[in-house]
Amino acid sequence: MPTAEPLDRPVDEGALSLRWSGRVSLTPRILFVNIFALALLAGGFFYLDSYRARIVDGRVAQAEREVRLIAEALTLLSPDERTDEMVNFARKSGLRLRIYDRRGRLVADSRQLGVRNFQLLDPDKDGWQQDAARALDAVIDTVVRNDRDPLYRERAPGRGLRWPDVVTVRTTGGTAATVWRAPDRTPVVTAAAPLPEDRVLMATVNARDITQTVRTERARLSLVLAVAFLLSVLLSLFLARTIVRPMRMLARAAIRVRLGRDREVVVPRLPSRRDEIGMLARALSDMTGALRSRIDATEAFAADVTHELKNPLASLRSAVDGLATVRDPDLRDQLLAIVQDDVHRLDRLITDISDASRLDAQLARAKFEDVDLAALIAALVTYRVDRGIERGVTLHFERDGDDPLVVHGEGARLERVFANLIDNAISFSPPGGKVRIGGGNDGDLVEIEVTDDGPGVPPEQREAVFRRFHSVRPGGEAFGQHSGLGLAIARTIVEGHGGMIAAESRRDAHEGARFVVQLPIAGA
């Protein structure tokens, strides 16, 4: 069965760090992540280049089909009829048609016959928008490493064999096509097919519509990217503001707490935020409050320790000073008794102070195990009875039923709790009084109560008796027999085991005190 990981498990900083990104502020990191996604979208520019290549390939195939069909149609006509029909085909297809003989001499040209459907644009006469578009074309071709098509140049009428398509047709007898680059970077497609009498029909078209289509789509994509980039930057800055700003506020507050210059540092709790930052703010605020309380308690404890140590030290000093001047043996014996009593008092006080100051840390490192409180208390009662109890006080332990009184904890610390409660009950019991210890189960809790016949605890003092150095001496007891830390130590141990301890009135309405300890049953 899987077990939950402890909340105080140390966190490996290397598991949370992102190496280089841990040195960069959150704002540029958020911007980078969002802009990186846009950069991937910008790859659509290069997709448009492949789109353009597919269109050009389709246009080349179309030109080959058209020139082949026109050549087959002209083959069915006599040489005299071919010229007129070629002009008709040129007007309908938008192609510039030329016929070359076997020596590469121009026989017929649709352009010379009045069909001027093929014209190349002079880039020097275009506006800056076309120049910018051609520059962008050149940049994209360079990035994607496109091979530049050869520049289209007209051949002299008698130099038809300088057209590679004409040469290929004469050599293979099939069709051929070539893609060229016009001065304005638009594609020019030439295609050739054989004719009777060893002649060649060549068609030429300037596919400016392809470039226009690609540039139109590129402009649309640019507009989308510009809007997306602006929105991404604005949203990134908004997100960074909602994350970074409150975290900076928390960091500044934490620094002020660390420096300790402001006693009442207010860590913003951000109550309106229900996200992780709000949780962090409230956790830091609670932690700061707990730290302040711990510091206040430590300072108060130090002040109380100083006060408690001064009394026996003053008495000890007075007795030691008196030993130097007193010559009467009886007085010297009394002073020595006072010194011995003060030394024992200081030793007991220092021991209790040491235990109280280290108790939290020791409980945090303690190894808990199942402890049978019934056996622990029975052994403790037997030991006290065998050692003898002053003033004829009797000690009795009785458990309710046969339910096991087993808790999860540290046996030595729990024994200290009940030893302190029993000592406290005995010290407040009248001569011949009874101290009763009862134990039983109350749901998921083990409940132990210690009852005495003493004067009891007034309702207004039932919480104060658990404070450090709060000591109410029984009548007739010599001063200094109690350090005022016994019940405080008992509460610290019980709460460290997840339980509670309280002072209450006796259930039978008789005079006396009743201390109740509740601890979780083992495995509950």
Side-chain angles (χ1 to χ4, degrees):
M1 178 177 179
T3 58
E5 295 185 357
L7 295 177
D8 57 351
R9 179 180 179 180
V11 179
D12 182 9
E13 184 179 357
L16 299 180
S17 65
L18 298 177
R19 297 186 180 180
W20 65 267
S21 64
R23 305 175 184 177
V24 183
S25 177
L26 284 177
T27 300
R29 286 161 66 178
I30 293 173
L31 284 171
F32 172 78
V33 170
N34 289 330
I35 294 176
F36 178 74
L38 290 178
L40 296 179
L41 179 60
F45 282 110
F46 307 112
Y47 168 77
L48 288 177
D49 183 77
S50 63
Y51 170 68
R52 169 184 171 275
R54 289 195 297 272
I55 295 178
V56 170
D57 291 341
R59 188 61 60 85
V60 169
Q62 178 184 347
E64 285 189 276
R65 289 195 301 270
E66 288 180 346
V67 75
R68 184 176 65 251
L69 292 174
I70 294 173
E72 292 175 353
L74 294 178
T75 301
L76 301 176
L77 302 176
S78 62
D80 295 335
E81 296 174 331
R82 289 174 186 170
T83 301
D84 295 336
E85 196 62 30
M86 183 182 71
V87 172
N88 292 331
F89 282 129
R91 286 195 179 100
K92 294 178 180 178
S93 64
L95 301 173
R96 179 184 179 182
L97 300 176
R98 283 173 280 193
I99 298 176
Y100 291 94
D101 61 11
R102 71 180 64 183
R103 295 183 180 180
R105 292 177 298 185
L106 184 62
V107 175
D109 185 353
S110 63
R111 183 174 184 178
Q112 294 178 358
L113 296 173
V115 183
R116 304 183 66 85
N117 55 3
F118 176 78
Q119 292 182 351
L120 298 180
L121 299 179
D122 185 357
D124 295 334
K125 297 180 180 180
D126 292 334
W128 65 268
Q129 296 91 342
Q130 293 297 326
D131 292 338
R134 284 191 289 269
L136 183 58
D137 291 340
V139 170
I140 294 178
D141 287 342
T142 302
V143 172
V144 301
R145 296 182 179 181
N146 266 347
D147 294 332
R148 299 178 65 185
D149 297 324
L151 182 63
Y152 179 84
R153 296 181 183 276
E154 288 290 350
R155 273 60 170 175
R159 300 299 182 100
L161 294 180
R162 290 192 175 182
W163 292 106
D165 300 335
V166 175
V167 176
T168 301
V169 170
R170 287 182 55 82
T171 304
T172 63
T175 59
T178 303
V179 180
W180 307 82
R181 172 173 51 89
D184 62 347
R185 298 190 64 86
T186 57
V188 175
V189 180
T190 59
L195 287 173
E197 301 173 1
D198 206 12
R199 294 185 176 187
V200 176
L201 174 66
M202 190 179 81
T204 307
V205 62
N206 184 198
R208 285 194 295 269
D209 59 314
I210 296 177
T211 303
Q212 186 62 35
T213 299
V214 173
R215 289 177 180 174
T216 300
E217 295 302 322
R218 188 179 295 154
R220 293 175 180 171
L221 180 60
S222 299
L223 180 61
V224 171
L225 276 177
V227 174
F229 179 82
L230 179 61
L231 291 177
S232 178
V233 170
L234 293 177
L235 290 175
S236 298
L237 293 177
F238 171 75
L239 183 61
R241 179 183 177 87
T242 58
I243 294 177
V244 175
R245 185 179 180 184
M247 292 187 69
R248 286 177 178 171
M249 293 171 56
L250 296 176
R252 286 194 292 267
I255 291 174
R256 291 198 301 271
V257 172
R258 177 178 62 84
L259 295 177
R261 296 175 181 174
D262 189 353
R263 179 68 176 175
E264 297 297 330
V265 177
V266 177
V267 179
R269 294 183 63 85
L270 306 179
S272 61
R273 298 194 64 143
R274 301 300 177 186
D275 55 5
E276 289 79 2
I277 293 181
M279 294 172 59
L280 174 63
R282 290 183 283 277
L284 282 177
S285 179
D286 294 339
M287 182 187 70
T288 302
L291 178 62
R292 187 180 296 118
S293 299
R294 180 63 63 87
I295 293 174
D296 293 342
T298 302
E299 292 177 352
F301 181 68
D304 291 340
V305 167
T306 302
H307 175 74
E308 292 295 326
L309 289 177
K310 279 185 177 180
N311 290 331
L313 283 176
S315 175
L316 183 62
R317 180 178 180 179
S318 177
V320 171
D321 290 342
L323 285 174
T325 58
V326 173
R327 296 289 183 266
D328 187 348
D330 294 334
L331 291 178
R332 291 178 64 88
D333 291 340
Q334 292 180 9
L335 291 175
L336 287 174
I338 292 174
V339 169
Q340 184 178 13
D341 184 68
D342 286 338
V343 169
H344 287 310
R345 179 181 171 191
L346 282 172
D347 179 67
R348 180 172 56 254
L349 185 61
I350 291 173
T351 300
D352 288 345
I353 290 172
S354 176
D355 289 343
S357 62
R358 295 180 300 173
L359 195 55
D360 288 336
Q362 290 174 345
L363 285 174
R365 297 190 299 267
K367 183 179 180 181
F368 284 11
E369 57 187 5
D370 289 347
V371 178
D372 187 351
L373 292 185
L376 184 150
I377 296 173
L380 185 61
V381 169
T382 301
Y383 170 75
R384 290 303 306 272
V385 170
D386 293 344
R387 195 179 64 176
I389 303 176
E390 60 271 17
R391 303 193 317 279
V393 177
T394 58
L395 193 59
H396 180 66
F397 172 57
E398 181 179 354
R399 57 186 298 180
D400 299 335
D402 297 327
D403 294 333
L405 306 180
V406 179
V407 300
H408 198 60
E410 187 182 21
R413 297 296 175 187
L414 293 175
E415 182 180 358
R416 176 73 178 274
V417 171
F418 298 109
N420 287 354
L421 292 177
I422 292 173
D423 289 341
N424 183 76
I426 291 175
S427 64
F428 280 92
S429 293
K434 296 181 180 180
V435 174
R436 303 170 185 83
I437 306 170
N441 288 347
D442 184 10
D444 291 337
L445 298 174
V446 171
E447 184 175 288
I448 306 295
E449 63 176 23
V450 179
T451 306
D452 61 53
D453 295 333
V457 182
E460 65 275 7
Q461 294 289 325
R462 289 176 182 174
E463 184 64 27
V465 294
F466 293 102
R467 298 175 187 166
R468 290 173 175 175
F469 300 110
H470 183 88
S471 177
V472 179
R473 297 188 304 274
E477 184 180 89
F479 180 81
Q481 296 299 315
H482 292 84
S483 65
L485 291 172
L487 293 180
I489 291 174
R491 167 168 278 190
T492 301
I493 295 174
V494 170
E495 291 180 348
H497 285 73
M500 60 83 64
I501 181 172
E504 300 177 359
S505 301
R506 290 181 50 161
R507 292 179 177 177
D508 54 10
H510 287 80
E511 189 179 45
R514 174 173 171 261
F515 287 86
V516 179
V517 176
Q518 291 181 337
L519 292 168
I521 293 178

